Amino acid sequence: MFRKILIANRGEIAVRVIRTCREMGIDTVAVYSQADRLALHVRMADEAYEIGGYSPRESYLMQERLIATAKRSSAEAIHPGYGFLSENAEFADAVAAAGLVFIGPSGEAMRKMGDKTAARQLMQSAGVPTVPGSKDAVDDPEEAMAIAEQVGFPVLIKASAGGGGKGMRLAARAEDLPELFKTASSEARSAFGDGRVYIEKYVENPRHIEFQILADHHGNVVHLGERECSIQRRHQKVIEESPSSLLDEKMRAQMGEAAVEAARSCGYTNAGTIEFIVDKNRNFYFLEMNTRLQVEHPVTEMVTGLDLVRLQLEIAAGGKLPFRQGQIERRGHAIECRVYAEDPENNFLPSIGRLTHVQRPGGFGIREDSGVGEGDEISIYYDPMIAKLIAWGADRDEAIRRMRRALAEYELAGVRTTIPFCLWVLNHPNFVAGEFDTHFVQNEFHDVQLSATNGRIDLTAAALAAVLHQESHALEPAHSLPAHADSSTGLWKLRGWKKNRQN
Ligand code: MV4
């Protein structure tokens, strides 16, 4: 196993990786931008290096600097987290070329899945169902029309280099197609530097269900069941859960096998996710593969009892998967809510500012993954996620009730949050009944008075007293280095209560 790894990320996912490393006795190297000098991931790591300015482009995306920092700190591997460089094939290759281990798939596997038309073809030859549509990228509006007429309108025009819904266009009727084809293609060219687009039949009112897979370097591939991710807003997931109320054991086994085949077909290694859409007749289709650990991975951890980061590290170090498919058990139900510093009553406008007061939920069956605490700034530079709250229950009903209870325990002051919105979903009869599709939020959430329906999380007298107490004591200035920091080298090590293995 590795002695030391570098985490090329920030926030809750960096903290998440550090926690598993500490349990495994692996030393951790954090990197941070100027905006993150006092961030939790920096304080939790064994060592931390400043790698640049405020924006991601000047810091967390600096490939050469990250690799040089890993070398200099004698880290043996780099964990990319999610976002930033996690799905960048060139970075994965550069890490390997530098003699380090990239904790994730090979650059080659990433490239195969990153090209969405190539991935579709790969799935077709592997016998994994894909949505009816074009075999390859479509060159002109005439060819697009021929395919659209074959599969029938409405159709979606998608960017070959896209993903996650970026640059998608819905053509409802034939007369709309030529114009939409052109805009989709030129948008793809400017967004991805690649104007290729392809056509798929539009699946109406689908569910979004994804499968977690794990693959080692010895040919073993397993799936850890599904995550139901249909509760999303503008392609941003809001609530995820496992298992999905839509699947029975037979369908779960079929989709799981398809997910394993999908991973095998591209020579995948490490943790990955196969995204499917499921139509009204319960037909499932491969959409795309996410070649990283995902934000919502904790729901899978809670129902399987498996630490996905630990498994990523073991796989990356050359270990064999410690179980076969038949040995994986799932127990109970887990739900994750993403708590964002956004104002759900103002079109989810990011609500930047300092978290002046934080009281977190806890108790039986509750897990909170967060990268910020009291006194921290929610800045414009990064995703405004405050925390992921995960509730486990013996069944879905218990998990929902526990999640409602825990969300209501939060005391967060200084920014607006999406907690009232999450509670609105958890109280919606259709959600409770398990009857929803990917359009749930769009169809149901308009002009909802969250304050009236949920009793907005207003501060209790006790919480208010705590806030006032906090504000009467000078907070640490946002941009001063801790006493044990060495600003001349950009390197600082924690002393005393944490392990401090110099060099
Ligand atoms: C689709 C679709 C319907 N039909 N493809 C959006 C994200 C990207 N991964 C693909 N997406 C979709 N592809 C066909 N042929 C509907 C969506 C879609 C969606 C998928 C998953 C979760 C949320 C979604 C919201 C809107 C549209």
Side-chain angles (χ1 to χ4, degrees):
M1 184 41 67
F2 309 118
R3 286 183 58 249
K4 190 194 268 193
I5 72 160
L6 180 142
I7 297 138
N9 214 300
R10 64 178 302 282
E12 71 86 17
I13 194 62
V15 170
R16 166 73 193 85
V17 174
I18 291 167
R19 284 182 168 144
T20 286
C21 287
R22 175 130 310 130
E23 291 174 11
M24 294 175 73
I26 299 168
D27 285 353
T28 53
V29 180
V31 292
Y32 60 98
S33 68
Q34 284 179 315
D36 278 339
R37 280 187 286 197
L38 297 172
L40 186 61
H41 77 282
V42 176
R43 280 141 49 201
M44 281 181 67
D46 294 300
E47 301 171 30
Y49 296 81
E50 187 175 305
I51 41 148
Y54 283 79
S55 70
R57 200 173 43 79
E58 311 171 279
S59 52
Y60 299 105
L61 293 173
M62 290 282 219
Q63 302 192 22
E64 290 307 317
R65 212 171 281 179
L66 291 163
I67 291 168
T69 305
K71 287 282 205 188
R72 173 174 154 210
S73 61
S74 53
E76 301 152 85
I78 298 184
H79 195 300
Y82 54 70
F84 296 131
L85 297 168
S86 61
E87 299 192 89
N88 187 306
E90 286 66 47
F91 183 62
D93 285 344
V95 169
L100 301 164
V101 177
F102 180 82
I103 301 167
S106 65
E108 191 191 348
M110 273 187 211
R111 272 185 208 95
K112 284 183 182 164
M113 285 300 186
D115 182 329
K116 305 303 169 189
T117 45
R120 261 171 69 82
Q121 289 181 13
L122 202 57
M123 291 311 115
Q124 285 155 14
S125 42
V128 176
T130 56
V131 187
S134 59
K135 198 178 170 301
D136 214 327
V138 172
D139 295 320
D140 51 62
E142 291 74 33
E143 193 188 341
M145 188 66 81
I147 290 154
E149 278 168 350
Q150 246 172 49
V151 300
F153 283 90
V155 296
L156 274 176
I157 309 161
K158 297 185 174 186
S160 303
K166 271 175 274 171
M168 258 177 16
R169 283 287 187 289
L170 175 63
R173 305 166 306 171
E175 50 263 54
D176 304 335
L177 187 65
E179 185 65 27
L180 289 169
F181 179 91
K182 283 179 211 146
T183 54
S185 179
S186 67
E187 203 178 279
R189 188 167 294 111
S190 59
F192 312 113
D194 179 350
R196 288 176 306 138
V197 295
Y198 63 104
I199 306 280
E200 276 183 5
K201 181 162 181 64
Y202 179 60
V203 178
E204 289 178 65
N205 304 106
R207 304 267 282 224
H208 175 183
I209 298 178
E210 59 186 32
F211 272 71
Q212 178 69 53
I213 65 96
L214 287 170
D216 66 18
H217 292 272
H218 308 273
N220 304 301
V221 187
V222 296
H223 75 83
L224 302 186
E226 79 281 11
R227 293 184 289 260
E228 165 67 67
C229 301
S230 299
I231 307 296
Q232 54 82 42
R233 185 187 163 273
R234 299 189 180 176
H235 303 301
Q236 169 92 264
K237 290 165 188 160
V238 176
I239 295 183
E240 306 98 342
E241 58 181 310
S242 186
S244 166
S245 47
L246 192 73
L247 302 192
D248 52 27
E249 276 305 321
K250 188 175 161 225
M251 194 166 166
R252 178 170 297 114
Q254 283 175 354
M255 292 178 78
E257 266 169 53
V260 166
E261 282 314 308
R264 280 195 195 285
S265 72
C266 66
Y268 199 83
T269 50
N270 218 284
T273 298
I274 310 292
E275 271 187 29
F276 294 103
I277 42 174
V278 183
D279 71 14
K280 278 175 289 189
N281 302 319
R282 297 158 66 87
N283 297 304
F284 66 88
Y285 306 98
F286 169 88
L287 266 194
E288 51 191 72
M289 181 170 194
N290 298 314
T291 57
R292 60 172 190 274
L293 186 69
Q294 288 194 270
V295 177
E296 59 271 27
H297 77 275
V299 297
T300 299
E301 296 187 319
M302 299 308 277
V303 297
T304 60
L306 298 170
D307 180 336
L308 284 171
V309 173
R310 182 185 188 114
L311 289 159
Q312 284 194 294
L313 289 160
E314 285 170 349
I315 289 167
K320 283 187 178 165
L321 279 175
F323 41 71
R324 294 176 181 283
Q325 187 65 56
Q327 297 173 293
I328 296 162
E329 289 172 32
R330 287 180 304 273
R331 184 153 174 264
H333 199 99
I335 304 180
E336 174 179 283
C337 284
R338 301 190 187 186
V339 176
Y340 274 90
E342 290 174 352
D343 185 357
E345 291 185 299
N346 192 7
N347 202 28
F348 294 84
L349 194 76
S351 179
I352 57 159
R354 190 186 294 274
L355 280 168
T356 53
H357 172 72
V358 175
Q359 175 64 48
R360 304 174 188 281
F364 186 76
I366 290 297
R367 163 177 175 182
E368 196 214 33
D369 281 20
S370 174
V372 293
E374 197 162 279
D376 286 346
E377 290 278 348
I378 306 294
S379 77
I380 54 162
Y381 298 104
Y382 311 108
D383 184 69
M385 191 164 75
I386 299 169
K388 307 187 305 204
L389 188 66
I390 305 101
W392 181 90
D395 55 25
R396 187 167 187 267
D397 181 62
E398 188 175 78
I400 290 173
R401 287 166 185 275
R402 185 163 286 153
M403 180 61 90
R404 290 188 196 129
R405 180 274 286 174
L407 281 169
E409 282 181 17
Y410 265 118
E411 293 171 3
L412 293 169
V415 296
R416 298 266 170 167
T417 80
T418 53
I419 290 171
F421 173 64
C422 291
L423 283 167
W424 171 82
V425 176
L426 291 162
N427 283 305
H428 194 291
N430 295 4
F431 178 80
V432 173
E435 285 161 15
F436 51 81
D437 58 43
T438 56
H439 305 300
F440 172 83
V441 176
Q442 191 192 327
N443 290 344
E444 301 293 324
F445 188 76
H446 32 75
D447 303 314
V448 175
Q449 282 297 307
L450 291 173
S451 21
T453 56
N454 281 312
R456 265 185 55 93
I457 320 288
D458 279 322
L459 287 174
T460 61
L464 189 61
V467 172
L468 293 175
H469 173 83
Q470 171 86 34
E471 287 177 347
S472 71
H473 290 69
L475 288 168
E476 244 189 306
H479 301 299
S480 71
L481 286 166
H484 49 261
D486 176 352
S487 60
S488 63
T489 58
L491 161 69
W492 62 275
K493 292 190 178 223
L494 291 162
R495 307 196 189 281
W497 59 283
K498 274 182 202 161
K499 184 163 48 178
N500 177 24
R501 194 187 294 167
Q502 292 273 349
N503 306 312

